[in-house]
Amino acid sequence: MISGKGRLEFAAVQSGAGADYGFPANQPMGALHLIEENGRVRRGAEAVFRMMMLCDSFSGSVASRMYEKVTLFRIISEWGYRRVAEHRSSLSKLSCRLAD
């Protein structure tokens, strides 16, 4: 999906795009946030799974439903999301090296 086209539109909070939703541009978010058309805000693993679902991903749909209905899956998903987020910089460098 292309940014700004179709169902999803991406914007950096630093640009001021989150101000209408109470996200100041000068504070780090700490996690991915998804703001839906109805104003519902999702963050972290929940936001990732919901975005995948909105992009018609079968695995995203399954994960999103499991996140909503299975407490243990939700806990493990958020734990995993935090681990990845804590190492975002290192993982980004590694993925760039692997892409070369």
Side-chain angles (χ1 to χ4, degrees):
M1 177 165 294
I2 300 170
S3 177
K5 305 253 184 191
R7 295 184 186 176
L8 298 175
E9 190 172 317
F10 298 90
V13 173
Q14 295 84 350
S15 70
D20 292 344
Y21 303 96
F23 302 128
N26 61 349
Q27 291 182 351
M29 298 293 290
L32 172 76
H33 285 68
L34 172 67
I35 304 167
E36 298 196 48
E37 286 183 325
N38 64 5
R40 179 168 179 185
V41 178
R42 300 172 195 258
R43 69 181 309 274
E46 181 184 21
V48 172
F49 297 147
R50 179 67 176 155
M51 258 195 328
M52 290 171 65
M53 186 173 150
L54 291 172
C55 291
D56 297 325
S57 163
F58 175 75
S59 59
S61 294
V62 171
S64 185
R65 286 190 185 97
M66 286 183 64
Y67 186 95
E68 290 176 5
K69 300 192 182 299
V70 182
T71 302
L72 184 59
F73 182 81
R74 185 179 321 119
I75 291 168
I76 292 170
S77 297
E78 289 300 339
W79 177 84
Y81 183 91
R82 284 191 304 275
R83 298 295 80 73
V84 170
E86 288 170 358
H87 299 94
R88 186 177 295 130
S89 178
S90 300
L91 292 171
S92 177
K93 289 174 189 172
L94 177 64
S95 67
C96 287
R97 286 188 189 130
L98 293 174
D100 287 340

